[in-house]
Amino acid sequence: MIFLVLLRRLAEMVFVLFSISVLVFLIFFATPGADPAARIAGRGASPATLAAVRHAFGLDQPLPVQYGLMMKHLFITQDLTSFVNPGQLVIPAVLQAVPVTLSLVFGAAVIWLIFAVAIGVTAAALRGSVIDRSLMFLAMAGVSMPVFWLGEVANLITQARFHNTVLFSWVPALGYVPLTQNPLLWFKSLVIPWTVLAVTYIGLYSRVLRANLVEALTEDYIRTARAKGLSERQVIFRHALRMSLITLVSMFGLDFGALVGGGALLIEVVCALPGVGMLTYQALQNLDLPFIMATVMYGAIFIVAANTVVDMLYLLIDPRARGAR
Amino acid sequence: MTAPILIAENLSKTFHAGRRFGPGGRQNIQALSNVSLKVYPGETLGLVGESGCGKSTLGRTLLKLYTPDAGKIIFQGQDITRMSERALRPLRANMQMVFQDPSASLNPRRRVGDLIAEPLRVHNYGAREKIQARLEELMHLVGLAPEHLSRFPHEFSGGQRQRIGLARAIALNPSLIIADEPVSALDVSIQAQIVNLMADLQEQLDLTYIFIAHDLAVIRQAAERVAVMYLGVIVEIGDTDTVMLTPAHHYTAALISAVPEPNPAARRARTILQGEPPSPANPPPGCRFHTRCPAAQGRCKTERPELRPYGENREVACHFPL
Amino acid sequence: MLLDVQNLSISFRTPRGLLPVVEDVSFQLAESEILAIVGESGSGKSLTALSIMRLITDPNAIITGKILFKGEDILTLKEPAMRRLRGGAMAMIFQDPMTALTPVYTIGAQIVEQIRIHTKLPTWQARLRAESLLAAMGIADAQQISRRFPHQLSGGMRQRVMIAMALSCSPALLIADEPTTALDVTVQAQILELLLKLRKEFNSSILLITHDMGIVAQTADRVAVMYAGRIAESGATGDIFAHPMHPYTAGLLAAIPQLHGPRINAFSAIPGAPPAPHEKPAGCAFAPRCAYRIAVCAERPPLLHGPFRQVACFRAGEVA
Amino acid sequence: MLAFAILIVIIAACLAAPWYAQNISQSDPFASNLDGSITLAGQPVDIMQSADTGFGVTPIGPTWTQKYFLGADDQGRDVAARILFGGRNSLLIAAGATLICLTLAGLIGIVAGFSGGFVDSILARILDILWAFPVYLLAISLSAVLISRGLKLGPVTIDSDSLLIPIAIIGIVYVPYVARPIRGQVLSLARSDFVLAAVCLGVPRARILWKDILPNVITTLIVFAPLMMALNMLTEAALSFLSIGVQPPAASWGTIILDGEGLLYTRPAVAIAPGLAIMLTVVALNFLGDGVREAFDPRAKIRVQK
């Protein structure tokens, strides 16, 4: 039974990935008015150059063939090369960027989960109080800030204005240091990006968690828990939080997937981290189609995988999802 | 005997839930299985049973709110089973429904007058003044005041809302009303008002009722004939007095015995049925009641009993009736 | 006297002012007695029950009066002391067994949790006790069932689990708030039978909250009838049913559809509907619907009086 | 209500941008002004000053007076006036995108939920796929393509620097976010007792849709509107910051932050001020959203505990 469910999910994954790849391909290769050859050749290229470029990159073939070739180079032979820097292999570049993005998102996730749960639980336990309202206002402010702007402000404070004070003198210059090279420096260089990235999600998650908790606290089973003689703290942590976390886990899976899959692009650009998002950004700047295709597909794979993992996790953490009787 | 106003022949309806390869798998819930009955003009037929027995599904299927998988529905001599919604529309004026929860069946965003006028407008009852006059007449019929027309449903109490539901149902002078648990959401003192009102309306307007309820006592008082349902089948059907006073099916007997009698002097050892109804997704073979029946024998496990006449004015589906 | 409720009133602060929901309610419950509080929706019976467990969490609720449990006023108890009572000496089961159990824990874990709060039993012993309790509830394969999750059980099973949980610490007082309303009638009969049997085994008093006069008649020793937040009448079950002294009780009994006996053509219905808490009249709340109404009824509410049989009506003697 | 007042003030201020440029700052916020100077405390001050390092020039910082209240950007343009002008575009794009998103989502949700069957499965499938697509990547991909060439679709030609491009892109990418819940709502409405009652009364489907389903869906869309607009503001800012949103010379809060990036360490006001403007607007929109939801959602109303 579980095997069939897995198989079904796997088939769905493949279907969704296929659809996304077609969609991305169409966006870049078949949008009316957008001619990829013109982009490769540069503005104002002569018709003859254009034709040559078209032929060289296989752009004179029918779209399905082009799509097939692209997919073949991307997944099967894995030797897709850049349009802009001929000879540069796409896949190794992406693979090199992955650890950066993973480091960034993983650290931020740890921070945001800890803070969001702390804030959400505190606010829900003190619901209606001044503390609750101030926490929720701060959370709202966190959700409402443009991430890249917050990143710039953080840079301003830690790199320039207050860099020479005790508080921030330890912050290294912008950039990334691999964990394997210097773990301490890796940590130091990522603290600020982690925090900046976490702020939005702390705001979002703590608000959602509080709302879920407050709603859960009106449920019948909470009344039962109180009637058993549990203290308010036990009621919240053992019964309400356990239920509320179920929604949070699914949110987390999707957000984590989206961030690893390219959503962290803005932070990577602002904090000069050479992750997948940065790669996408650079490819977009010079419209390097194979790179865009590869990074978007990489992102989609992560997101779809996260979706699947969340679904499976659901079966684990929520016994109701396993079906009745 | 007059011709039946509604005939149901071998109605079956199965609902599907879940996905084939989803967690829990796909479930086929057999809500109705070979249900047949006849309803005669002017009578009240009670449909009684526990939750999940299919009584509401039967009510809705009879009105073609659900399309049956098999069987036939004949309303006033016309086979409506395969009729399109468009062809059915003129007939809809003749068959109406009253719902259990009036706060759910009245759109909360529309005023009472608008709600009751809806059927009149849709069936081209007449000009604005004629509709207005009819609205006031209807409000009077159900014991509400004309000024209530401009209010919203949430401004009324449960009993009053059920009156609004009744007013809407009788607006087009239907001949048949199917009332799905019309009083079970109401308190006892209000319940009686609505049952009385329905009886009055029946008399004044020559209505035929199918009265669906889980409360045997209400059915006993409101219906002349009763059909007892269990897991998607009718196990016993007949005159209310006959069925209630001398039940022939073991399930009917157990059901009646389980009702706590509001008389402390009559405390008695009751025959209490063990277990709970099996899931309709997986009904037992043979007689559907055999898993809980005190008189079940080998034959009951394999052979499904058909409804057969048993004494006067009654049919029972049991191999070993009481 | 196990439980002695004196002049209990519950009201809520709302933007429209103070909303009195329960007013001046007094009743007693002796050891191993079953007292039924019966009333229609909105009569305040459930709130009364919740206030005895101190489970009204709404910060806008104002509770006055005394609730003496074994002689101690629980309304003045500190929260930790109250917690020891809750689930220990007094326990409660609720109307809807489908939603009253936490969906993510097994049945066994939820019963064990309660036992572990109130006793020093190690987990394995608590587990054994939980299983034996489930078996006492008439659950055949208790060991199996205790490993199931709530959604895997039927409504009747879940209510048995709730009862097992409530009785796990042998409470002196069991409050049952509409314990069978969500259940089918054949299952209801099983649960009521079980409650009656367990009362003898566990020697608990039961405060039964219900709207069903049939259940009252079949189970309760004494009954208190509530209407619009006040007790209209209370006394021994037999007396109340045989000779209702309050017009509301009389009307209510007459309005119950009878399953046995002859079929009658029209019910005797009480006209009108109970008042909402914010539109209660100054005098007797039942007066606007009452056939025995006199001038004084509109002026002030009648007080509950009498030694054993108590009635709150100015014309109590005249109701047939 | 405070949120609503703040929004009104912000909108009014942005609408007054030309007046501000003409009468208060007295400079053209879209023309570079590298050689100009203003009088500050009786002293003439160059707008572009030589940098401390000796290389290049640094624009004037905040004067906190009429002219160059927040200083100048690297083109010597008045930042305060540019923020007001940019706010117009930011608000316009966010509002326009919200309108597109809600209209499309409402339409798709209703069609899918009410027609059911095959149409529903197809639409639901498509929504699922788009749901799995990272929104930012979709928006960025579409923007990158359309900004570089504009769109020629039959008779419709949209220039690459038209505001319609970000409006359409932002409007479209969030459609699944709204369409999915709307579809769910329509599905449950279609099964609700009052729709069944209408079917029973012989009310034609079109009329049921119009009278019973649409009003409920519109309420939900209204609840979504401020929240979507907040989200759209942030998305617009991000796209513009990546220079694939609003195209120069037009400005938006996002592009001004980008302008300020180069001046971050010397003249931080250029980047900080528009960010604060975005934050204030988005906070106000979110609070307004909460307020609207409470007003419309009966579940959020005060309940007397039973």
Side-chain angles (χ1 to χ4, degrees):
Chain A
M1 196 60 230
I2 277 292
F3 178 71
L4 276 180
V5 174
L6 268 170
L7 207 66
R8 179 200 161 89
R9 286 295 320 186
L10 218 64
E12 277 180 2
M13 253 179 86
V14 171
F15 176 71
V16 169
L17 283 177
F18 169 73
S19 312
I20 288 177
S21 67
V22 170
L23 189 66
V24 176
F25 183 81
L26 287 179
I27 287 176
F28 285 101
F29 288 83
T31 313
D35 179 1
R39 269 181 245 141
I40 299 165
R43 282 177 199 236
S46 70
T49 323
L50 274 180
V53 167
R54 264 197 205 106
H55 186 73
F57 288 91
L59 297 171
D60 51 354
Q61 305 201 33
L63 277 177
V65 175
Q66 285 188 43
Y67 172 80
L69 279 176
M70 178 73 99
M71 288 300 122
K72 182 186 145 217
H73 286 302
L74 190 53
F75 287 112
I76 299 167
T77 54
Q78 305 194 346
D79 57 355
L80 195 63
T81 51
S82 160
F83 278 3
V84 177
N85 307 316
Q88 190 192 0
L89 284 174
V90 171
I91 307 246
V94 172
L95 288 181
Q96 212 178 359
V98 171
V100 184
T101 302
L102 273 178
S103 303
L104 172 67
V105 178
F106 193 78
V110 171
I111 294 177
W112 97 56
L113 282 183
I114 292 172
F115 276 85
V117 169
I119 293 175
V121 170
T122 312
L126 304 172
R127 58 194 171 284
S129 70
V130 182
I131 296 178
D132 169 31
R133 260 174 256 159
S134 343
L135 283 177
M136 283 305 106
F137 183 84
L138 285 178
M140 183 77 96
V143 177
S144 305
M145 274 186 272
V147 195
F148 57 92
W149 175 78
L150 186 66
E152 293 210 329
V153 172
N155 284 345
L156 173 66
I157 293 172
T158 59
Q159 299 286 339
R161 284 297 145 107
F162 297 99
H163 185 65
N164 295 329
T165 63
V166 199
L167 219 49
F168 296 114
S169 53
W170 53 268
V171 179
L174 291 183
Y176 175 76
V177 180
L179 176 65
T180 47
Q181 201 179 77
N182 185 340
L184 185 67
L185 208 55
W186 171 84
F187 182 82
K188 278 182 180 175
S189 66
L190 279 170
V191 169
I192 299 299
W194 282 342
T195 316
V196 170
L197 183 55
V199 165
T200 311
Y201 291 95
I202 292 174
L204 192 64
Y205 279 51
S206 59
R207 286 183 68 83
V208 171
L209 182 60
R210 179 196 176 272
N212 282 349
L213 275 173
V214 167
E215 175 144 352
L217 284 170
T218 65
E219 299 279 351
D220 281 359
Y221 59 81
I222 293 298
R223 196 178 51 189
T224 307
R226 291 203 179 105
K228 282 165 143 182
L230 290 171
S231 69
E232 197 59 24
R233 174 195 292 263
Q234 289 168 321
V235 167
I236 289 182
F237 279 96
R238 282 199 208 156
H239 292 264
L241 187 61
R242 175 69 207 271
M243 289 298 292
S244 307
L245 281 180
I246 291 177
T247 12
L248 229 56
V249 164
S250 71
M251 255 175 83
F252 177 75
L254 297 182
D255 285 334
F256 190 85
L259 281 178
V260 176
L265 175 144
L266 287 162
I267 286 289
E268 290 180 5
V269 170
V270 170
C271 298
L273 297 171
V276 183
M278 184 68 112
L279 214 56
T280 317
Y281 176 68
Q282 284 161 352
L284 281 168
Q285 298 269 299
N286 44 31
L287 284 163
D288 194 348
L289 292 180
F291 260 99
I292 297 177
M293 205 65 204
T295 50
V296 171
M297 282 314 292
Y298 154 85
I301 289 173
F302 249 100
I303 288 166
V304 174
N307 249 316
T308 310
V309 170
V310 163
D311 275 14
M312 292 293 141
L313 216 57
Y314 238 100
L315 292 183
L316 272 183
I317 58 176
D318 189 352
R320 287 169 299 178
R322 279 172 237 162
R325 273 180 241 196
Chain B
M1 204 172 217
T2 45
I5 181 172
L6 181 77
I7 304 170
E9 282 174 13
N10 302 319
L11 287 181
S12 291
K13 176 79 189 165
T14 302
F15 292 106
H16 305 283
R19 292 199 283 191
R20 206 164 304 149
F21 299 119
R26 190 176 177 83
Q27 289 194 315
N28 299 320
I29 293 153
Q30 223 179 66
L32 295 178
S33 164
N34 266 331
V35 172
S36 303
L37 53 76
K38 292 186 173 109
V39 187
Y40 296 95
E43 75 164 346
T44 300
L45 172 69
L47 272 185
V48 72
E50 296 177 285
S51 51
C53 71
K55 56 188 190 300
S56 283
T57 309
L58 178 57
R60 291 177 179 202
T61 309
L62 290 175
L63 281 181
K64 276 292 298 286
L65 291 176
Y66 301 147
T67 309
D69 301 332
K72 236 194 228 181
I73 308 165
I74 295 160
F75 177 65
Q76 292 180 327
Q78 290 188 66
D79 185 346
I80 62 168
T81 327
R82 302 277 162 228
M83 234 182 221
S84 73
E85 191 54 44
R86 191 179 294 270
L88 199 58
R89 212 166 284 149
L91 276 176
R92 288 246 179 249
N94 274 334
M95 42 200 257
Q96 278 306 317
M97 180 139 185
V98 174
F99 292 83
Q100 166 175 7
D101 184 358
S103 50
S105 61
L106 301 171
N107 186 343
R109 292 180 199 285
R110 300 176 70 174
R111 290 176 198 277
V112 169
D114 186 26
L115 285 165
I116 304 179
E118 187 79 358
L120 299 172
R121 292 196 203 111
V122 169
H123 291 272
N124 300 319
Y125 182 77
R128 185 181 294 263
E129 298 76 38
K130 201 175 161 207
I131 289 184
Q132 187 59 34
R134 175 69 177 157
L135 287 182
E136 282 169 24
E137 184 190 2
L138 286 168
M139 292 302 267
H140 179 73
L141 270 173
V142 299
L144 291 172
E147 56 263 29
H148 287 147
L149 285 170
S150 57
R151 299 204 191 148
F152 285 99
H154 66 83
E155 296 174 59
F156 294 88
S157 68
Q160 285 173 313
R161 268 183 289 214
Q162 201 52 287
R163 287 173 194 266
I164 297 168
L166 272 167
R168 181 171 63 176
I170 60 172
L172 292 165
N173 263 322
S175 26
L176 173 70
I177 288 184
I178 297 187
D180 188 359
E181 303 262 14
V183 297
S184 50
L186 306 174
D187 279 318
V188 177
S189 69
I190 314 293
Q191 242 180 33
Q193 295 173 7
I194 298 296
V195 172
N196 287 345
L197 174 64
M198 287 180 68
D200 289 348
L201 292 173
Q202 181 167 40
E203 204 162 295
Q204 288 176 46
L205 307 172
D206 284 331
L207 292 168
T208 307
Y209 286 134
I210 295 181
F211 197 114
I212 303 172
H214 67 273
D215 187 335
L216 286 132
V218 168
I219 290 284
R220 163 94 166 100
Q221 296 301 334
E224 289 113 31
R225 284 203 309 138
V226 63
V228 182
M229 292 187 71
Y230 185 79
L231 272 183
V233 298
I234 294 181
V235 295
E236 183 165 5
I237 182 168
D239 284 353
T240 310
D241 281 338
T242 319
V243 172
M244 299 272 184
L245 298 179
T246 55
H249 198 282
H250 296 276
Y251 176 64
T252 317
L255 204 57
I256 291 168
S257 164
V259 176
E261 200 180 334
N263 178 6
R267 284 194 196 181
R268 64 213 145 79
R270 292 170 289 175
T271 49
I272 292 179
L273 219 46
Q274 291 309 306
E276 291 180 51
S279 157
N282 193 12
C287 172
R288 298 201 161 184
F289 186 58
H290 84 253
T291 52
R292 301 170 77 197
C293 185
Q297 301 189 15
R299 184 179 166 200
C300 303
K301 288 177 190 148
T302 51
E303 191 184 330
R304 178 169 163 175
E306 297 301 319
L307 266 181
R308 277 185 297 265
Y310 184 75
E312 249 178 66
N313 304 327
R314 166 181 20 210
E315 289 171 80
V316 182
C318 179
H319 296 306
F320 310 101
L322 281 163
Chain C
M1 204 49 66
L2 179 72
L3 180 71
D4 186 356
V5 175
Q6 298 175 1
N7 309 98
L8 177 72
S9 293
I10 304 169
S11 46
F12 289 92
R13 280 183 289 259
T14 69
R16 280 188 288 184
L18 219 54
L19 203 65
V21 185
V22 172
E23 290 177 275
D24 206 16
V25 161
S26 304
F27 59 84
Q28 287 83 37
L29 178 62
E31 261 108 54
S32 68
E33 182 184 41
I34 299 185
L35 170 69
I37 297 185
V38 67
E40 296 178 291
S41 48
S43 62
K45 55 188 193 300
S46 284
L47 269 180
T48 305
L50 284 176
S51 69
I52 295 169
M53 292 285 283
R54 281 217 349 226
L55 280 177
I56 299 176
T57 48
D58 190 327
N60 290 312
I62 304 168
I63 305 172
T64 59
K66 277 186 181 160
I67 299 174
L68 303 176
F69 180 70
K70 295 182 173 169
E72 202 175 5
D73 186 358
I74 62 159
L75 286 180
T76 60
L77 274 185
K78 290 242 172 10
E79 187 56 28
M82 189 61 220
R83 275 209 299 274
R84 278 192 289 280
L85 277 185
R86 249 186 239 136
M90 52 166 74
M92 186 158 177
I93 52 180
F94 300 98
Q95 171 168 353
D96 191 353
M98 307 311 269
T99 55
L101 291 161
T102 309
V104 290
Y105 295 118
T106 59
I107 300 302
Q110 301 197 41
I111 303 177
V112 166
E113 182 182 34
Q114 170 147 10
I115 298 173
R116 298 262 293 151
I117 298 169
H118 295 282
T119 65
K120 292 200 168 69
L121 287 186
T123 311
W124 66 273
Q125 276 184 15
R127 184 156 278 282
L128 286 182
R129 171 129 163 224
E131 279 163 17
S132 72
L133 274 164
L134 286 175
M137 299 303 128
I139 293 175
D141 41 357
Q143 221 176 348
Q144 269 259 324
I145 294 290
S146 73
R147 282 194 216 106
R148 297 260 183 98
F149 288 98
H151 75 275
Q152 294 168 314
L153 304 180
S154 66
M157 282 293 238
R158 287 191 221 185
Q159 199 60 298
R160 285 171 199 267
V161 170
M162 283 297 292
I163 297 173
M165 204 154 82
L167 294 178
S168 61
C169 300
S170 308
L173 170 64
L174 176 66
I175 302 175
D177 185 1
E178 303 263 14
T180 59
T181 307
L183 305 175
D184 275 321
V185 63
T186 53
V187 183
Q188 163 174 305
Q190 298 167 8
I191 297 293
L192 289 178
E193 193 81 358
L194 180 66
L195 275 178
L196 287 177
K197 187 184 115 202
L198 292 171
R199 168 182 57 158
K200 294 199 187 91
E201 275 173 30
F202 286 77
N203 202 22
S204 301
S205 306
I206 297 180
L207 182 64
L208 178 70
I209 313 292
T210 182
H211 70 279
D212 188 330
M213 280 299 201
I215 293 176
V216 176
Q218 296 297 322
T219 53
D221 303 320
R222 287 194 308 121
V223 53
V225 182
M226 280 188 81
Y227 184 80
R230 288 175 182 272
I231 292 185
E233 179 167 13
S234 70
T237 310
D239 286 352
I240 298 266
F241 276 79
H243 310 288
M245 289 171 81
H246 195 288
Y248 172 65
T249 319
L252 197 61
L253 287 173
I256 302 172
Q258 299 285 327
L259 181 58
H260 306 276
R263 225 189 130 203
I264 38 175
N265 279 329
F267 288 118
S268 60
I270 308 175
H278 61 275
E279 47 195 30
K280 269 190 238 170
C284 172
F286 187 62
R289 302 173 75 186
C290 183
Y292 293 84
R293 169 178 70 232
I294 48 174
V296 66
C297 298
E299 288 163 17
R300 55 192 167 85
L303 296 178
L304 202 61
H305 56 274
F308 300 106
R309 184 70 192 276
Q310 297 183 307
V311 192
C313 179
F314 293 114
R315 301 182 64 187
E318 302 165 48
V319 181
Chain D
M1 269 309 93
L2 180 67
F4 191 65
I6 291 175
L7 274 181
I8 293 290
V9 170
I10 293 172
I11 293 171
C14 292
L15 285 178
W19 180 84
Y20 180 90
Q22 197 157 41
N23 297 311
I24 301 206
S25 74
Q26 292 163 12
S27 66
D28 181 352
F30 293 102
S32 55
N33 186 8
L34 298 171
D35 308 320
S37 64
I38 56 167
T39 316
L40 255 188
Q43 302 275 329
V45 182
D46 283 343
I47 290 168
M48 303 304 283
Q49 304 150 341
S50 331
D52 304 336
T53 50
F55 294 104
V57 284
T58 308
I60 190 170
T63 62
W64 309 117
T65 59
Q66 258 194 353
K67 295 179 181 176
Y68 291 96
F69 181 75
L70 292 169
D73 65 10
D74 56 3
Q75 299 291 312
R77 298 173 295 194
D78 187 316
V79 172
R82 280 181 66 78
I83 285 177
L84 293 186
F85 269 103
R88 298 175 127 202
N89 282 339
S90 290
L91 289 168
L92 182 70
I93 291 173
T98 306
L99 205 66
I100 291 180
C101 174
L102 295 185
T103 313
L104 282 179
L107 224 64
I108 294 175
I110 287 177
V111 168
F114 198 60
S115 52
F118 184 67
V119 179
D120 181 39
S121 349
I122 296 289
L123 284 173
R125 213 59 252 180
I126 293 175
L127 289 181
D128 278 350
I129 290 169
L130 286 178
W131 181 272
F133 203 118
V135 177
Y136 267 73
L137 286 187
L138 183 60
I140 287 169
S141 309
L142 281 170
S143 304
V145 169
L146 294 180
I147 292 290
S148 68
R149 299 291 295 209
L151 180 68
K152 292 190 203 74
L153 198 65
V156 188
T157 307
I158 301 173
D159 288 336
S160 62
D161 56 357
S162 164
L163 286 186
L164 283 176
I165 289 181
I167 290 180
I169 289 171
I170 298 170
I172 287 168
V173 292
Y174 287 116
V175 164
Y177 278 63
V178 185
R180 274 176 43 142
I182 295 285
R183 169 177 170 263
Q185 190 196 12
V186 174
L187 271 179
S188 76
L189 281 173
R191 283 193 214 111
S192 73
D193 273 4
F194 65 78
V195 167
L196 271 186
V199 172
C200 229
L201 293 165
V203 182
R205 279 170 69 84
R207 192 178 164 92
I208 294 177
L209 190 63
W210 182 250
K211 287 267 192 177
D212 286 325
I213 291 187
L214 202 61
N216 285 293
V217 170
I218 285 178
T219 313
T220 314
L221 290 177
I222 290 173
V223 171
F224 265 112
L227 303 172
M228 287 317 292
M229 188 157 160
L231 200 55
N232 291 342
M233 295 275 322
L234 291 175
T235 312
E236 181 276 326
L239 288 182
S240 295
F241 178 73
L242 294 174
S243 67
I244 45 177
V246 174
Q247 294 300 299
S252 79
W253 287 338
T255 65
I256 301 175
I257 297 180
L258 179 62
D259 293 343
E261 199 191 11
L263 300 167
L264 187 62
Y265 296 155
T266 47
R267 294 287 176 246
V270 183
I272 289 179
L276 286 177
I278 294 174
M279 192 168 137
L280 188 67
T281 316
V282 174
V283 167
L285 280 168
N286 277 329
F287 273 111
L288 184 69
D290 275 8
V292 172
R293 186 169 49 212
E294 260 163 51
F296 278 108
D297 185 2
R299 277 198 318 164
K301 280 192 184 142
I302 312 158
R303 282 182 288 192
V304 174
Q305 193 188 355
K306 260 199 173 173

